[in-house]
Amino acid sequence: MDKLGMYAVPAVILVIVAFGGIRRVRVFDCFTEGAKEGFSALLSVAPSLIGLIVGVTMLEASGFFELLTAFISPVCEAVGIPAQVVPLGLMRPVTGSGSFALLNEILGSCGPDSAAGKIASVMSGSTETTFYAITVYYGAVGLKKTRYTLPAASAADLAGMLSAVWIVRAAG
Amino acid sequence: MLNIIWLCMVILSVICSIVTGRTGELSNSVGNGADKAVQLIISMAGVMCLWSGIMKIAERSGLTGLIAKLLSPVLGRLMPEYKNNSAAMNAVSTNVTANILGLGNAATPLGIIAMKEMQKSNTLRSEPNDSMIMFVLINTASIQIIPATTAALRQAAGSAQPYSILPYVWIASGIALCVGMISAKIFSAVGKIKKQAINK
């Protein structure tokens, strides 16, 4: 499975660049234009990332995560969830940059290729800032009632997070 | 929301450091955290720029449009109220394509256009219909080929294989999407039964 991920990257790049070439797109000019946009997008989130990473680093230094992990780990270990990823699971649906800061902390403390690091990566990659998306989309058309959106979306998020744990564990 | 979260982080860490006796560590961490954040942004910049450059080519070459066209019939089945509404279906399928390719900046404005188009012929007026909810659920399941941000973070953390998680991410978001769609169908059916019971 890990190999598949390694093939996917060059395959995606090849398909996109080759298709661009066939369609007579000036691929390199286009690439630099997009890269520039990516850079300014990253710069525009930099202030909030700095604030939130400072927040998470402060929590880490204060011993908060150790206390929390010690508190919840008996329950988590029983179902096979590394306790370190629980705060990420709670933060992910609410804020993108907040969960980003948490993921960074987990990758730093457990290692990116450890089980906890992989589970945290899969959790972040496979779920969205659900509450934020719901607010933005319904807010844009002035809908206040959301019917069953929230329970269905939360069920999806929970399923995504539990399958992240399960898949990484199953693959060893 | 972030205002409350950040406030909690600051207050919790100060209280916690007093309890654990780590006030010295806490004061060092403030400067370290800010430093770490800037280093992280710099070390991520390469991967982020690379993917947004590549995806720009996909957009310009018409690959995005082609994928949207292929997705349109599938999405029409999931959103039966708008199957024959081409303005709405166009916006929906370009939004989903943008999500799949990880064009985050383009996806949200397209999604808002799609919601506006759908609201025009929404017979429920003040609440979303089943198709609109389905659209929001597809958006929150985060179906994407390359989760560039996560890969960039893994690379910055020194991972030996930053992209090894891709297949797992695909499976996990696929499962999340299926669970979201199935629970939507169940909730919708339960709602209809309840309504019928009230009418009787």
Side-chain angles (χ1 to χ4, degrees):
Chain A
M1 279 259 262
D2 290 15
K3 283 246 169 67
L4 189 60
M6 278 150 59
Y7 291 127
V9 173
V12 168
I13 296 181
L14 175 71
V15 168
I16 292 175
V17 177
F19 191 83
I22 294 165
R23 288 287 179 95
R24 304 253 173 262
V25 172
R26 297 167 64 90
V27 283
F28 190 71
D29 293 348
C30 192
F31 172 81
T32 52
E33 192 187 319
K36 201 173 159 190
E37 279 174 25
F39 195 72
S40 33
L42 189 61
L43 277 188
S44 68
V45 294
S48 71
L49 285 185
I50 293 172
L52 286 159
I53 288 174
V54 169
V56 172
T57 313
M58 283 172 72
L59 279 178
E60 169 66 29
S62 74
F64 174 78
F65 288 126
E66 279 163 64
L67 284 180
L68 181 74
T69 311
F71 190 67
I72 55 177
S73 62
V75 185
C76 296
E77 302 292 311
V79 282
I81 303 170
Q84 298 93 324
V85 306
V86 174
L88 175 68
L90 298 174
M91 188 79 104
R92 183 72 185 113
V94 186
T95 135
S97 29
S99 55
F100 176 95
L102 273 180
L103 172 61
N104 183 49
E105 188 65 48
I106 297 169
L107 294 181
S109 59
C110 306
D113 299 315
S114 66
K118 276 186 171 178
I119 291 172
S121 306
V122 178
M123 273 187 176
S124 307
S126 63
T127 50
E128 251 298 325
T129 46
T130 305
F131 296 138
Y132 173 77
I134 291 175
T135 318
V136 168
Y137 282 162
Y138 288 141
V141 288
L143 290 176
K144 293 221 167 61
K145 290 182 192 161
T146 60
R147 291 174 66 207
Y148 56 82
T149 311
L150 208 53
S154 307
D157 276 349
L158 190 64
M161 287 174 188
L162 292 179
S163 27
V165 175
W166 168 70
I167 299 165
V168 173
R169 290 254 185 255
Chain B
M1 197 67 201
L2 276 178
N3 293 311
I4 300 167
I5 292 177
W6 204 61
L7 185 71
C8 289
M9 282 178 167
V10 172
I11 293 174
L12 267 178
S13 57
V14 172
I15 295 173
C16 225
S17 72
I18 295 169
V19 174
T20 56
R22 293 195 196 167
T23 42
E25 281 95 330
L26 181 68
S27 48
N28 292 340
S29 76
V30 179
N32 285 345
D35 246 23
K36 213 163 74 177
V38 174
Q39 278 167 19
L40 178 70
I41 291 166
I42 293 169
S43 55
M44 276 180 65
V47 177
M48 296 300 288
C49 288
L50 168 82
W51 285 110
S52 58
I54 294 289
M55 291 313 173
K56 192 84 193 168
I57 300 174
E59 217 180 323
R60 189 69 50 82
S61 64
L63 187 62
T64 321
L66 189 71
I67 297 172
K69 218 174 253 171
L70 293 173
L71 280 178
S72 197
V74 183
L75 291 166
R77 293 197 67 161
L78 291 171
M79 293 166 218
E81 276 105 329
Y82 300 98
K83 202 169 55 191
N84 301 316
N85 178 338
S86 64
M89 280 322 292
N90 246 334
V92 167
S93 49
T94 16
N95 160 273
V96 175
T97 311
N99 275 320
I100 292 174
L101 294 180
L103 305 164
N105 296 328
T108 311
L110 283 168
I112 291 172
I113 295 170
M115 285 299 279
K116 286 189 170 155
E117 285 298 332
M118 290 195 275
Q119 177 66 11
K120 275 184 194 164
S121 54
N122 176 14
T123 47
L124 299 177
R125 299 312 318 161
S126 66
E127 41 186 65
N129 59 32
D130 288 349
S131 295
M132 294 170 86
I133 297 177
M134 188 59 81
F135 175 69
V136 171
L137 288 177
I138 294 172
N139 261 277
T140 58
S142 173
I143 303 294
Q144 52 178 331
I145 305 179
I146 310 281
T149 319
T150 305
L153 260 186
R154 290 174 59 76
Q155 179 116 34
S159 167
Q161 297 172 313
Y163 294 96
S164 65
I165 49 139
L166 289 195
Y168 310 121
V169 171
W170 299 331
I171 298 171
S173 31
I175 293 174
L177 180 63
C178 290
V179 169
M181 292 198 295
I182 293 166
S183 36
K185 291 279 175 221
I186 295 171
F187 283 119
S188 165
V190 170
K192 271 178 199 149
I193 294 168
K194 267 190 193 160
K195 228 178 218 170
Q196 275 170 0
I198 293 166
N199 288 343
K200 271 177 194 166

